[in-house]
Amino acid sequence: MQARDDVIFLYDGSYDGLLCAVFRCYTDGILPYRITDTRDTMLEYRTVETDPDKAARVARGVRNTIGAQAERMMRRAYLSDFDDRGAAVARFVIFGMLQGAATMKMLAQPCVHRLHAISRAVANEAHRNIEFLRFSEINGALVSVIRPTHNVLPLIAQHFVERFPNERLFLYDKVHKIAFRHEGACDELLRLEGFEPGPIDDNEASYRALWETFYNAIEIRPRHNERCRLNHMPLRFWEDFMYKTRR
């Protein structure tokens, strides 16, 4: 397969669209410079039409030849914000379809190592958001706003549904403009350009004051270690998850 540094495949941003771009690599016999859902250069773009049947063929081929774990890793990589995620998935599939199940252990190969790294970054970000996410009760619902470095809301939403099955949940990703709503038997992931939580009531204000009191009292002041504190709670989480600082 010929690598082309002057061609970009343009897909619609969906996972099926990405798999169709991989399918297009085979039909065109080339590995493009990038596979993306945005136009940002003057290079030649080839538009990829999304076909569910072609996407299913690629996914099935990966599962049967490389393994189900490989396809799960591709799904996580798709949710990343790395510019090379599309090309990384394509290179991995093209290599893996030749090597079979052994591909997953061939970390010395750049294409395998890169997809593992992208997938791991997404998994780590999902873990951090599950660990640090905090809800506020607003208008009878548990509401949280997050700013993840990757599009992890589709990965973490089910965790909170299982933890709070009888609650009304609303999670909003301010970076990727998507929201997740859970109410009863209804789970919905939707596009939402903007969202700001409504005003809190006295009960929620009391809980926040109680949290601040606990947070400020739990530390042993003579042993304050700012670097350790930042390692356990990165600064970017402080605002949305309402951890209060004390200098």
Side-chain angles (χ1 to χ4, degrees), residues 196-243:
E196 293 295 336
I200 63 174
D201 58 20
D202 292 341
N203 192 45
E204 174 63 22
S206 297
Y207 276 117
R208 293 191 183 188
L210 184 63
W211 164 251
E212 290 182 36
T213 299
F214 167 77
Y215 182 81
N216 291 328
I218 195 66
E219 181 188 30
I220 302 174
R221 285 196 175 191
R223 298 183 181 179
H224 178 81
N225 185 327
E226 192 67 13
R227 177 171 293 183
C228 180
R229 182 189 191 199
L230 288 169
N231 285 340
H232 287 286
M233 169 55 72
L235 185 62
R236 66 188 175 91
F237 290 104
W238 289 9
E239 180 181 355
D240 288 331
F241 302 151
M242 294 169 290
Y243 278 74

Side-chain angles (χ1 to χ4, degrees), residues 91-202:
R91 292 189 184 100
F92 173 82
V93 173
I94 291 167
F95 179 80
M97 294 299 284
L98 295 174
Q99 302 297 325
T103 302
M104 296 298 291
K105 297 180 180 180
M106 300 173 71
L107 295 177
Q109 292 294 328
C111 62
V112 180
H113 180 271
R114 181 56 183 159
L115 199 72
H116 270 280
I118 294 175
S119 175
R120 185 168 59 249
V122 174
N124 289 342
E125 181 67 5
H127 176 76
R128 282 190 290 266
N129 277 268
I130 287 176
E131 182 180 2
F132 297 141
L133 186 148
R134 297 182 66 240
F135 287 103
S136 294
E137 186 173 359
I138 300 175
N139 295 327
L142 298 181
V143 178
S144 183
V145 176
I146 62 176
R147 291 186 177 92
T149 56
H150 299 291
N151 184 13
V152 297
L153 186 54
L155 296 179
I156 69 175
Q158 189 59 34
H159 168 84
F160 295 103
V161 171
E162 293 173 358
R163 186 174 179 185
F164 306 111
N166 299 320
E167 300 286 350
R168 293 171 57 207
L169 304 177
F170 189 85
L171 290 81
Y172 181 63
D173 180 343
K174 207 166 188 176
V175 175
H176 303 92
K177 311 295 184 184
I178 61 172
F180 175 79
R181 182 177 70 90
H182 167 74
E183 185 172 0
C186 176
D187 291 342
E188 185 179 15
L189 193 67
L190 60 150
R191 289 283 176 185
L192 191 61
E193 281 302 314
F195 169 77
E196 293 295 336
I200 63 174
D201 58 20
D202 292 341

Side-chain angles (χ1 to χ4, degrees), residues 48-63:
V48 177
E49 298 296 331
T50 300
D51 182 336
D53 291 335
K54 292 179 180 178
R57 285 176 62 185
V58 174
R60 185 168 57 251
V62 169
R63 288 193 298 270

